[in-house]
Amino acid sequence: MSDVVEKTLTALPGLLLSLDSQPGAAKLCATSRLGSLVRSITELTSKNVGEEMAEPPAGPRSPKQMKEIMVRAIYCEMLGYEASFSYIHAIKLAQQGSVLEKRVGYLAVSLFLHESHDLLLLLVNTVLKDLQSTNLIEVCMALTVVSQIFPKDMIPAVLPLVEDKLTHSKEIIRRKAVLALYKFYLIAPNQVQHIHDKFRKALCDKDPGVMTASLHIYLKLIKVCLASNYKDLTDSFVTILKQVVGGKLPVDFNYHSVPAPWLQMQLLRILALLGKEDQRTSEMMYEVLDESLRRAEINHNITYAILYECLKTIYTIHPKSELLEKAAKCIGKFVLSPKINLKYLGLKALTYVVQQDPNLALQHQMTIIECLDHSDPIIKRETLELLYRITNGQNVSVIVEKMLDFLRLSKDEYTTIDLVGKVAELAEKYPFPCSVWFIQTMNAIFSIGGDVMQPDIPNNFLRLLAEGFDSDEEDRQLRLLAVDSYLSLLECDTSGLPQRFLQVISWVLGEFSFLKEGLEPADVVERLGKLLDDDAITTETRCWVLAAMSKLCGSSDALCKAEKVAHKYTSCLDTALRQQAVELELLGRDVDLRTRVLPQHGARNQLEVDSSLSFLDGFVSDALARGAAPYKPPHQRQEELSQEKILNFEPYGLSLPVSLSACSLTDRQSPTALSLSSSLSGNSADPPLKAGSNLLKLEGVKRVWGKQGYLPEKQATEEALAQEPSSIFAPSHQQACSESQQTTFSTIVEQDQEKRQLASSLFVGLGSQNAPCLVRTVAQNLSDSTSEAVPAVGNTEVVEASEVSSLSGGSGPLAQPSSQVERGLESDLPSRLPATLVGLLRSDVEELCSGESLSLSACKVFDADALVLAIFLSNISDSSIQEVSCLISSEQLKVPEMCSTFSVLSFYLNEFVLFSLFVCFSLCLNHLYSEGVAQCQGWEEHLNLGEASLYHSVSPPASCSCRPLPLTTEEYGKMWLSFSHDVKQNLMLLKHEEEDQLEAALTALKEKLCLHIVDVIGAEGIMACQLVSGRPCLLHCHTHGGMLAIWLRSPIADLPDCLLYHCQKAIQER
Amino acid sequence: MIKFLLMVNKQGQIRLSKYYEHIDLAKRASLEVDVIKGCLSRKKEECSFVEYKDYKLVYRQYASLFVMVGVSENENELAVYELVHNFVEVLDKYFSRVIMFNLEKVHVILDEMILNGHIVETNKSRILAPLLVLDKMAES
């Protein structure tokens, strides 16, 4: 290798990294040609890099030099300077060079050229030659380049050779051949039709790499062709996935000890496609999906990525309730995660699954609301996407308000277009909760969306106004409202309004201003005329304004004004504008013609339009005879344009998320039907729906939906959000709480209240009445307390109180006469614990507080991985209780997710019913330790009972979170050495008279703190325990002379200190 | 589907770019400016995914180097996020200590991992196998 090139090569890496204008870089650069090239390029502003580039070695160049130059050319193109002169050299290099140079040649070709580049044809021969080479590495390169870029027409030339390679002895060749065939399939599916059975062979290849490669083909095939052709392969895919998940692949396929994660995801995607709407096929995969869910427990991003794919598959295929339940739990893991990336993906998953099961949104409503206020716009954006999917007639106004809020802050044009489209779609889909709301929302859309939004939006809006709905009266009102709002808009400064909006305004005023009594057309003309004075207004808008004026020329006064304005434009250079002005003058003079051409609205319906344009037939046939191209409808033209799919750079070119025409007038619900349904669910006079039919109660939600549909009270949407805490939480808790607690609590309540309001307005209308609920909500009906299910807790690190919110009213037959319900009955309460909690260690049931008719008791249950707080709420009065609201919050626990853990319950009781309720919390106390014990004091329950309220706070002692850690002495020894944080202290043993002080002390600790005694060696004892979260702590005790020396070690800093405190207490209390 | 992959330093200078769909050179420049601006302006605690036009950007930072990947809307962002890490691990394995830049070699590695916007190989030893053979041949 020549000296210079060698130097250059060695300097290259340094250069590329050190371009960051460090002083050292200059020195380095000076030593090499590439360095100076790079420097000169960075200084260059023009594009004449070519000369600079070509300057090195004159005369014939060796392939080695060529290779070096080619890398520079690649570098130049990367920086944006075209190096087209070097393209031909790249092909030459691929042809002539030895292996390394050849590779660079191929690389340059794949980077420089695109599929339809003419020069690509010159490559075919080289590829053919290399495919036949005996040198494996050359065959490899040829296959790589073929699977990257290859001219479509030349496929037949290489196809037999590539097919041959499918049976090659080396796996890498077989693999690359499969990928090359995949490329052929992508660019010319017909050409590889005959070798589909060879794909099957590849799928069954003994090498996992080849099999993986064939999956790309299958994913594509199943997506494009009918999935039914490949159903017979389901079994194979399932088996493969089972093997992968089961760790049957060689270890080097692992990524962070997860076996071939990307392969798993690919398989899951394929299974989703196969199992979609096919019960029989779906049944084949339930087992492996379950297995995948179970395996994905390691806490690493990649397992979450698999989990996400798994969730999507589970929710795509034919549902199985058991799996759905597990999947729903997994979604909790995502959205509640403190890691923002997981949260994002969780929202995305939720967006996907709520379409199948809106109840899931209910379960996570508080998290969703927090995400709505998240500082990261992409999280907000994703949340809005989610809300968009769960919009219904009842929550549309709140969701639209949220979207508009976001839009007002958003700067990104693309987002604006997309979101404005969605808002408009929602507004038009549910336009008749209230006309005022509809008009205001559309106004907001027009002013925010401005001139970037889809032209469909104003068009559809105008059509909606013009064509109206079923009821004439409602139509009239809507139009009148529009006129009113636009007139008032015109009174203000109009310079900020987008052109499209002005066009809408002028059209509506021209068409419907006659509806407003007492409004002179001349007045409207004058106001419209003012618009024209603005220089910023476009010619197109001027046309709209003039067109509107010509409709208003009914009275002579108006005509006079309009003509004066229009006269200016009769000599205008713009033909459209000029035509409009001339038309106005003409129509003004000829009243008969005017009434015929522009009838007042009432007559419009009779207007007959020949929509087939048959009167133009003669014109068209003439044109065709003269050789004109036949007419193609816009969608066909569009299709042809988009045949060549490339990255879309024109923001205007995007397709609207859901085409607006999809919600055209024909399939829109009639306003009467809508208002009927809203009165059903929302009218306060109606009796509450029985039997848990709506999971989310409407109590505390402002009644904005009356019998007449929306009850227009100013800006009801805003009110609903900013409403004062409603009266049920009025400061009337006289019992059991100190003054200071009261104040802090009430502020918490207020904040919660706001969120709760928002939650109930956002998630209203979701739930079982909407769709059959496939997932049994984890917390169940209260009525049947014996079959109570505990929210499964797993390793989740937060209180899963959101689940509690779905507790619904029931009319359980617990028909014990209330006279029996004495305080003493608490002994009966434990038997009402859910079955899953019965066998577990628990504390005694304590009565926390009681009011006139309600009593609140609680006990702690020590589950293996959680502390469950079972709360019993009993009716101690003689009469029935109609309604109980219960607010549970744990706000003071300063754990990030904790703030989302209050929940609202309300339920109805039959007469003479003892009522008991379990609220099961799980919480992981490792947070408590790291935050210090002081913050454990945050349990609060707030019971509200009509006017009176019960209020109590429970603080679980930190020791509740200890669990024995079974270890052997050897394990203990190993762990002991690896832990870094330790604390030593001598404790006074009070009872000197005991014979075996050590044993007594150990037993006491064991009982009080749930420790595990590992071993006792002479005067020394070792013990181990772990927190609920699984974090260990080791103890070493030995006695000497009435003292107990305790030595604690743990990997967590505060844990030994904290535990020592409890040991001390335990010993003293002994 | 993966649309493009960029490697950019903290100053916003491109160190490597690979497109899986053809884009004109001029448009690439404006795309890169937008993408780089979008990713570099993000805060540490913010999400590693950014919305850009009709697709998503996934980015990951390694010291002063950013890897940014443009993917289509339906792609699993987290899977791509980890793919980037796998890629960097492979680079790390091959270039031993620092992520040194031999432009063509990085491209060869990338070609083994991603083809036509799809992830085709993630097994580290298999990714590096062809390159190691090339190196051996160049030595002899």
Side-chain angles (χ1 to χ4, degrees):
Chain A
M1 197 184 271
S2 88
D3 221 33
V4 178
V5 177
E6 198 171 62
K7 253 191 206 162
T8 319
L9 265 177
T10 46
L12 189 59
L15 281 173
L16 295 178
L17 277 181
S18 59
L19 251 181
D20 320 345
S21 68
Q22 297 144 357
K27 221 190 274 170
L28 242 169
C29 287
T31 59
S32 77
R33 283 223 193 99
L34 179 65
S36 48
L37 167 77
V38 167
R39 248 187 331 173
S40 51
I41 289 176
T42 33
E43 283 158 14
L44 265 182
T45 45
S46 69
K47 286 202 175 180
N48 53 352
V49 200
E51 295 155 31
E52 302 271 334
M53 280 266 325
E55 164 232 347
R61 296 157 200 146
S62 73
K64 272 180 188 164
Q65 286 169 316
M66 260 329 267
K67 176 199 151 231
E68 179 52 29
I69 295 168
M70 206 46 70
V71 176
R72 296 184 204 181
I74 293 174
Y75 190 80
C76 288
E77 280 235 340
M78 188 183 81
L79 293 180
Y81 305 103
E82 195 183 330
S84 53
F85 61 90
S86 63
Y87 294 174
I88 186 71
H89 296 288
I91 289 178
K92 260 198 203 154
L93 188 62
Q95 205 168 9
Q96 294 162 352
S98 62
V99 275
L100 193 57
E101 292 92 49
K102 199 185 248 317
R103 184 68 187 92
V104 174
Y106 276 137
L107 173 70
V109 168
S110 72
L111 286 171
F112 290 155
L113 305 185
H114 57 88
E115 220 95 81
S116 45
H117 202 285
D118 295 335
L119 282 178
L120 214 50
L121 286 176
L122 296 175
L123 193 71
V124 176
N125 245 331
T126 318
V127 168
L128 275 174
K129 206 181 80 199
D130 283 338
L131 280 177
Q132 288 159 311
S133 161
T134 48
N135 188 342
L136 281 185
I137 199 79
E138 281 182 356
V139 180
C140 236
M141 283 178 209
L143 284 171
T144 308
V145 82
V146 164
S147 44
Q148 282 178 316
I149 185 168
F150 201 75
K152 208 188 215 162
D153 313 327
M154 300 310 280
I155 292 176
V158 293
L159 190 57
L161 284 173
V162 175
E163 268 186 77
D164 272 355
K165 301 289 181 247
L166 285 176
T167 51
H168 200 277
S169 59
K170 281 268 184 261
E171 66 81 23
I172 187 163
I173 305 286
R174 292 203 302 275
R175 185 163 63 85
K176 293 208 175 256
V178 172
L179 291 171
L181 288 177
Y182 173 59
K183 178 68 181 180
F184 293 162
Y185 177 77
L186 283 180
I187 53 179
N190 297 332
Q191 309 245 25
V192 288
Q193 211 125 51
H194 62 286
I195 43 174
H196 278 196
D197 54 324
K198 292 203 174 163
F199 295 154
R200 291 198 181 216
K201 222 178 246 164
L203 182 65
C204 305
D205 198 284
K206 61 179 185 293
D207 184 85
V210 183
M211 180 271 294
T212 311
S214 76
L215 289 182
H216 290 286
I217 299 179
Y218 278 108
L219 184 65
K220 190 83 192 168
L221 277 175
I222 295 170
K223 230 186 237 170
V224 176
C225 310
L226 278 177
S228 56
N229 297 347
Y230 301 94
K231 297 273 180 191
D232 57 317
L233 285 175
T234 313
D235 206 26
S236 318
F237 292 129
V238 168
T239 318
I240 296 171
L241 183 56
K242 220 176 266 176
Q243 285 172 350
V244 175
V245 171
K248 297 278 175 7
L249 287 187
V251 186
D252 59 347
F253 282 92
N254 285 8
Y255 172 75
H256 290 255
S257 64
V258 179
W262 290 277
L263 170 60
Q264 287 190 40
M265 289 183 239
Q266 186 84 345
L267 282 164
L268 285 168
R269 275 176 216 144
I270 291 178
L271 289 184
L273 289 174
L274 284 174
K276 196 175 180 184
E277 287 156 14
D278 181 348
Q279 186 173 0
R280 220 176 51 80
T281 317
S282 298
E283 272 163 8
M284 296 163 80
M285 44 186 95
Y286 288 149
E287 193 192 329
V288 74
L289 289 176
D290 192 40
E291 175 88 11
S292 295
L293 275 186
R294 222 158 36 77
R295 293 264 176 174
E297 265 169 7
I298 314 166
N299 199 1
H300 189 274
N301 275 338
I302 197 70
T303 55
Y304 281 104
I306 299 174
L307 215 52
Y308 170 74
E309 218 58 63
C310 209
L311 290 177
K312 273 181 83 170
T313 306
I314 289 174
Y315 273 92
T316 310
I317 62 171
H318 187 88
K320 185 190 182 196
S321 56
E322 200 182 307
L323 264 184
L324 290 177
E325 207 173 297
K326 281 185 188 165
K329 246 179 252 166
C330 281
I331 290 183
K333 269 193 214 171
F334 277 99
V335 289
L336 297 174
S337 165
K339 283 188 191 158
I340 187 146
N341 288 347
L342 295 187
K343 213 176 202 93
Y344 168 85
L345 212 63
L347 285 172
K348 214 176 148 176
L350 209 52
T351 309
Y352 185 80
V353 302
V354 286
Q355 293 166 67
Q356 267 81 15
D357 179 13
N359 282 314
L360 275 171
L362 281 179
Q363 279 181 27
H364 298 292
Q365 45 179 309
M366 288 327 292
T367 320
I368 293 172
I369 282 171
E370 258 150 46
C371 290
L372 211 49
D373 296 329
H374 204 280
S375 57
D376 193 347
I378 189 148
I379 298 280
K380 263 193 201 174
R381 180 80 174 76
E382 214 49 46
T383 316
L384 289 178
E385 196 69 34
L386 170 65
L387 292 179
Y388 166 71
R389 308 275 168 181
I390 57 166
T391 310
N392 56 35
Q394 296 172 55
N395 59 15
V396 61
S397 55
V398 189
I399 290 181
V400 162
E401 191 57 38
K402 286 278 157 197
M403 285 173 143
L404 290 176
D405 282 349
F406 182 83
L407 274 171
R408 286 186 189 111
L409 297 175
S410 158
K411 295 274 181 296
D412 182 47
E413 193 174 278
Y414 190 89
T415 317
T416 309
I417 297 168
D418 182 57
L419 218 52
V420 159
K422 283 179 176 156
V423 175
E425 191 204 325
L426 290 179
E428 296 191 13
K429 206 162 158 191
Y430 309 102
F432 269 87
C434 159
S435 322
V436 179
W437 175 80
F438 178 56
I439 297 290
Q440 271 167 356
T441 306
M442 289 314 285
N443 286 356
I445 292 173
F446 292 139
S447 37
I448 295 170
D451 295 317
V452 295
M453 70 183 165
Q454 294 287 322
D456 286 17
I457 297 171
N459 289 349
N460 280 2
F461 172 67
L462 293 183
R463 201 182 57 183
L464 220 119
L465 274 185
E467 293 180 357
F469 299 88
D470 294 349
S471 139
D472 282 344
E473 179 51 32
E474 273 177 37
D475 290 348
R476 207 187 66 84
Q477 255 190 342
L478 184 67
R479 288 166 192 156
L480 200 58
L481 275 169
V483 170
D484 273 343
S485 98
Y486 295 155
L487 281 176
S488 58
L489 266 176
L490 285 187
E491 265 165 28
C492 314
D493 181 27
T494 54
S495 56
L497 296 179
Q499 299 301 314
R500 288 255 179 80
F501 196 15
L502 291 176
Q503 292 166 12
V504 168
I505 291 177
S506 38
W507 189 88
V508 171
L509 288 182
E511 200 76 9
F512 299 119
S513 63
F514 74 93
L515 287 170
K516 193 172 162 72
E517 282 166 33
L519 179 69
E520 284 297 316
D523 227 26
V524 183
V525 170
E526 199 179 315
R527 286 191 205 179
L528 286 173
K530 271 191 205 143
L531 282 180
L532 295 174
D533 296 340
D534 190 352
D535 288 336
I537 206 167
T538 63
T539 326
E540 198 194 347
T541 313
R542 283 173 206 273
C543 286
W544 282 74
V545 173
L546 285 183
M549 284 183 172
S550 28
K551 290 175 199 163
L552 291 166
C553 296
S555 73
S556 58
D557 197 13
L559 179 65
C560 174
K561 276 186 179 153
E563 274 180 335
K564 215 160 85 193
V565 177
H567 190 71
K568 264 204 302 213
Y569 298 104
T570 47
S571 53
C572 169
L573 281 180
D574 186 274
T575 45
L577 189 57
R578 190 171 180 170
Q579 184 188 354
Q580 207 57 255
V582 174
E583 266 177 23
L584 189 148
E585 285 197 327
L586 211 74
L587 292 176
R589 261 176 259 139
D590 190 341
V591 181
D592 284 345
L593 185 64
R594 206 179 78 84
T595 42
R596 240 180 57 213
V597 179
L598 299 167
Q600 282 245 308
H601 184 74
R604 182 154 297 240
N605 292 342
Q606 279 85 50
L607 207 65
E608 276 196 11
V609 177
D610 181 5
S611 60
S612 66
L613 304 179
S614 58
F615 57 91
L616 283 175
D617 282 353
F619 176 76
V620 171
S621 55
D622 280 357
L624 285 175
R626 267 182 275 116
Y631 174 73
K632 284 179 190 160
H635 62 88
Q636 194 182 341
R637 266 175 282 161
Q638 203 70 46
E639 242 167 53
E640 279 168 21
L641 278 175
S642 61
Q643 285 288 315
E644 273 178 56
K645 280 208 166 163
I646 48 165
L647 267 186
N648 189 359
F649 278 89
E650 269 60 52
Y652 305 99
L654 93 161
S655 61
L656 210 62
V658 179
S659 124
L660 282 171
S661 54
C663 60
S664 70
L665 292 167
T666 45
D667 53 19
R668 179 175 294 117
Q669 257 187 305
S670 76
T672 37
L674 234 162
S675 58
L676 253 183
S677 66
S678 65
S679 70
L680 243 184
S681 56
N683 197 304
S684 50
D686 286 338
L689 294 177
K690 278 270 170 167
S693 61
N694 50 351
L695 291 180
L696 198 86
K697 298 298 168 192
L698 293 158
E699 277 67 44
V701 186
K702 192 157 167 50
R703 306 266 177 229
V704 286
W705 313 93
K707 278 228 162 77
Q708 280 74 44
Y710 194 87
L711 303 174
E713 278 190 40
K714 291 173 239 161
Q715 287 243 326
T717 49
E718 279 172 24
E719 271 187 21
L721 296 179
Q723 206 195 3
E724 290 285 295
S726 65
S727 60
I728 55 159
F729 287 102
S732 59
H733 28 253
Q734 303 102 327
Q735 303 153 10
C737 66
S738 72
E739 198 60 41
S740 63
Q741 270 174 318
Q742 257 188 28
T743 44
T744 50
F745 183 69
S746 61
T747 53
I748 292 165
V749 168
E750 261 170 58
Q751 288 168 1
D752 286 354
Q753 188 72 12
E754 253 173 56
K755 284 189 172 177
R756 198 172 72 102
Q757 289 279 358
L758 181 57
S760 26
S761 39
L762 275 179
F763 299 98
V764 69
L766 291 180
S768 54
Q769 81 232 48
N770 265 26
C773 167
L774 297 166
V775 184
R776 193 166 52 98
T777 37
V778 191
Q780 284 178 325
N781 277 347
L782 321 153
S783 53
D784 185 8
S785 57
T786 46
S787 68
E788 199 63 35
V790 192
V793 279
N795 295 328
T796 41
E797 299 189 3
V798 292
V799 179
E800 305 222 41
S802 55
E803 291 176 347
V804 181
S805 64
S806 51
L807 285 169
S808 68
S811 49
L814 276 173
Q816 280 155 326
S818 53
S819 54
Q820 283 182 16
V821 189
E822 294 302 319
R823 301 287 158 91
L825 204 76
E826 253 87 74
S827 57
D828 186 38
L829 290 175
S831 67
R832 301 193 186 283
L833 276 174
T836 41
L837 293 183
V838 163
L840 298 171
L841 191 66
R842 62 170 172 79
S843 69
D844 295 333
V845 178
E846 287 172 80
E847 184 177 23
L848 301 173
C849 58
S850 62
E852 275 169 41
S853 53
L854 273 188
S855 155
L856 175 71
S857 337
C859 75
K860 297 175 210 103
V861 183
F862 304 103
D863 202 353
D865 49 6
L867 174 70
V868 178
L869 189 69
I871 299 173
F872 304 90
L873 199 57
S874 10
N875 183 357
I876 50 171
S877 71
D878 293 338
S879 54
S880 74
I881 297 175
Q882 276 307 316
E883 194 180 326
V884 178
S885 294
C886 176
L887 177 71
I888 297 147
S889 69
S890 52
E891 200 72 30
Q892 288 176 17
L893 291 177
K894 286 187 182 157
V895 181
E897 264 75 23
M898 282 299 184
C899 26
S900 68
T901 57
F902 80 88
S903 67
V904 184
L905 317 168
S906 55
F907 35 81
Y908 309 96
L909 297 179
N910 277 358
E911 280 192 348
F912 304 115
V913 163
L914 164 78
F915 175 75
S916 70
L917 146 77
F918 298 95
V919 184
C920 303
F921 287 99
S922 65
L923 98 156
C924 168
L925 290 168
N926 63 338
H927 291 297
L928 303 186
Y929 278 114
S930 52
E931 297 265 314
V933 191
Q935 280 162 0
C936 297
Q937 314 295 326
W939 286 96
E940 308 203 66
E941 286 99 51
H942 178 203
L943 289 192
N944 188 297
L945 159 65
E947 288 299 301
S949 56
L950 292 172
Y951 173 72
H952 193 82
S953 92
V954 184
S955 37
S959 57
C960 291
S961 60
C962 274
R963 300 288 181 272
L965 177 65
L967 287 179
T968 65
T969 315
E970 289 87 60
E971 284 169 338
Y972 181 95
K974 259 184 226 159
M975 283 172 93
W976 182 264
L977 292 176
S978 63
F979 292 168
S980 45
H981 301 281
D982 65 345
V983 173
K984 280 190 223 177
Q985 193 159 347
N986 289 338
L987 302 179
M988 186 71 83
L989 289 172
L990 298 174
K991 299 178 185 167
H992 288 285
E993 67 279 10
E994 270 174 352
E995 277 186 21
D996 194 343
Q997 289 179 330
L998 179 67
E999 199 187 321
L1002 290 186
T1003 324
L1005 288 176
K1006 182 185 169 188
E1007 276 167 7
K1008 291 248 166 63
L1009 293 173
C1010 287
L1011 303 180
H1012 170 72
I1013 302 178
V1014 181
D1015 207 352
V1016 180
I1017 312 157
E1020 294 177 37
I1022 51 177
M1023 307 174 90
C1025 73
Q1026 59 182 341
L1027 290 188
V1028 171
S1029 55
R1031 299 178 182 198
C1033 185
L1034 304 179
L1035 288 93
H1036 174 273
C1037 319
H1038 81 272
T1039 44
H1040 56 93
M1043 298 289 275
L1044 179 70
I1046 294 192
W1047 190 0
L1048 296 106
R1049 270 198 176 189
S1050 166
I1052 307 153
D1054 297 335
L1055 187 52
D1057 268 326
C1058 182
L1059 206 61
L1060 179 68
Y1061 167 75
H1062 289 289
C1063 291
Q1064 215 164 351
K1065 256 172 66 180
I1067 297 287
Q1068 278 167 7
E1069 286 168 7
R1070 190 159 58 104
Chain B
M1 181 182 161
I2 297 168
K3 306 274 182 177
F4 60 81
L5 185 144
L6 302 178
M7 291 174 92
V8 178
N9 71 5
K10 232 178 187 160
Q11 283 72 37
Q13 290 161 317
I14 297 210
R15 290 288 161 261
L16 177 127
S17 70
K18 173 86 190 174
Y19 290 83
Y20 296 97
E21 275 180 340
H22 179 72
I23 300 172
D24 286 344
L25 228 48
K27 283 184 174 174
R28 279 184 199 187
S30 70
L31 168 88
E32 282 158 6
V33 169
D34 285 355
V35 168
I36 292 169
K37 207 170 74 187
C39 292
L40 290 187
S41 63
R42 303 276 293 171
K43 291 188 209 96
K44 266 245 163 62
E45 69 275 8
E46 284 182 320
C47 188
S48 311
F49 316 124
V50 195
E51 204 159 47
Y52 177 68
K53 299 207 168 150
D54 57 347
Y55 48 97
K56 294 273 166 64
L57 304 175
V58 177
Y59 69 93
R60 204 161 173 161
Q61 187 180 1
Y62 293 92
S64 67
L65 187 75
F66 281 84
V67 183
M68 305 166 181
V69 190
V71 298
S72 59
E73 182 78 28
N74 54 1
E75 187 64 62
N76 180 341
E77 286 93 344
L78 203 58
V80 175
Y81 184 71
E82 285 306 303
L83 178 79
V84 169
H85 190 66
N86 196 20
F87 173 53
V88 171
E89 280 180 354
V90 173
L91 292 182
D92 201 40
K93 192 173 171 188
Y94 180 75
F95 297 106
S96 61
R97 291 187 60 208
V98 239
I99 305 175
M100 298 213 297
F101 264 74
N102 284 301
L103 194 57
E104 76 279 16
K105 291 190 174 169
V106 179
H107 268 294
V108 171
I109 291 174
L110 200 56
D111 282 352
E112 290 297 318
M113 294 183 72
I114 308 173
L115 269 181
N116 296 306
H118 297 291
I119 304 165
V120 293
E121 186 60 83
T122 50
N123 180 332
K124 293 190 184 75
S125 48
R126 290 192 171 194
I127 292 166
L128 287 177
L131 191 57
L132 292 174
V133 176
L134 277 179
D135 284 348
K136 224 182 224 168
M137 285 176 136
E139 268 171 34
S140 60

